[in-house]
Amino acid sequence: QVQLVESGGGSVQTGGSLRLSCAASGYMHCMAWFRQTPGKEREGIASIFAQNSIRYSDSAKGRFIVSRDIAKNALYLQMNSLKPEDTAMYYCAAGRDSRCSPSSWFAYWGQGTQVTVSS
């Protein structure tokens, strides 16, 4: 069992930046960030396997950077050039899929942190 706790969400204006953090109670090879807005399916936006194998969704490429600190069991998402369409609840997820991607199945989920981008 792994507990995940996200933090770092908030309200920013278009073009601003935020850094989300996810504190995990243990190590999992595959971790990812998802987001969801009311009435829409949850969208996988970035994944990282171990330290270096990273994948992004098209919506995240070029603006978001995922990283992790294995020693701290922490996952991060640096979000730059934010747009109003990035407004969503952001979730951290962890799992064991060795193919690790934003479309993987994840066993563990955090409660989410809200990001709101105003125009």
Side-chain angles (χ1 to χ4, degrees):
Q1 192 80 8
V2 174
Q3 282 78 45
L4 304 172
V5 180
E6 301 94 337
S7 62
S11 297
V12 295
Q13 292 188 330
T14 297
S17 298
L18 280 174
R19 188 188 193 217
L20 305 184
S21 298
C22 173
S25 63
Y27 175 77
M28 296 293 283
H29 287 304
C30 177
M31 297 192 75
W33 286 101
F34 286 74
R35 65 185 182 186
Q36 188 171 25
T37 54
K40 293 187 177 181
E41 289 188 4
R42 190 151 46 188
E43 174 192 12
I45 56 176
S47 64
I48 183 167
F49 181 79
Q51 188 72 42
N52 296 316
S53 181
I54 293 172
R55 298 185 185 186
Y56 294 102
S57 67
D58 288 342
S59 60
K61 285 178 184 175
R63 297 189 299 126
F64 295 179
I65 301 171
V66 64
S67 62
R68 68 189 299 179
D69 185 331
I70 290 178
K72 295 181 179 179
N73 286 328
L75 179 72
Y76 305 102
L77 185 68
Q78 177 67 42
M79 302 188 296
N80 302 316
S81 302
L82 284 162
K83 306 174 183 179
E85 50 264 44
D86 294 317
T87 295
M89 185 72 79
Y90 284 72
Y91 298 90
C92 170
R96 298 184 176 89
D97 189 353
S98 60
R99 294 167 294 180
C100 196
S101 78
S103 61
S104 293
W105 184 84
F106 291 88
Y108 305 104
W109 294 84
Q111 294 299 307
T113 185
Q114 178 68 36
V115 171
T116 302
V117 185
S118 59
S119 57

